[in-house]
Amino acid sequence: MTLLLLGCQGEVQYATPLRPVHYELYFATNGRALTAPAGYMRITRPSTATSAVGFGGILVIHGFAGSGTADYYYAYDLACPKELDPTNALMVNEKLEAVCPKCHSRFSIVYGGGTPIQGPAQSPLLPYRVLPIDGGILITAPEL
């Protein structure tokens, strides 16, 4: 199944299948890696009976969004949209790009795009919604 979202700039097609996503991260406990800009986490398993991690897992990053003091968190599915294999999880390189270990596609992640920047992948990473909660963030499925 392909997810098709229409926006102001035209069509964006996400190749990654939609699966349930619901994951709570608290900065004082399980989300400490996200407290500083450029901090990221790869989540491959649910942490509780009520959490869900999408198709291939969740990649969440404390990103950058220009000037100001606001914190920006972005979350994506860990599955490469070219490979569509939930066991082939993206890695993060020293340039803070998501990289597929199989097809070697690279994706921009720190500014919230998830767009492919090199390699055979044509579709962007499937983004997830990140909502603030008391002391952390909640990651949920994209809004359709």
Side-chain angles (χ1 to χ4, degrees), residues 18-23 52 126-131 138-144:
L18 286 175
R19 297 291 188 271
V21 178
H22 183 91
Y23 202 91
L126 179 62
Y128 294 134
R129 282 191 297 172
V130 179
L131 305 170
L138 170 65
I139 301 164
T140 65
E143 195 171 294
L144 303 176

Side-chain angles (χ1 to χ4, degrees), residues 9-26:
Q9 301 194 356
E11 296 180 2
V12 176
Q13 291 188 352
Y14 297 101
T16 306
L18 286 175
R19 297 291 188 271
V21 178
H22 183 91
Y23 202 91
E24 295 177 5
L25 282 169
Y26 294 95

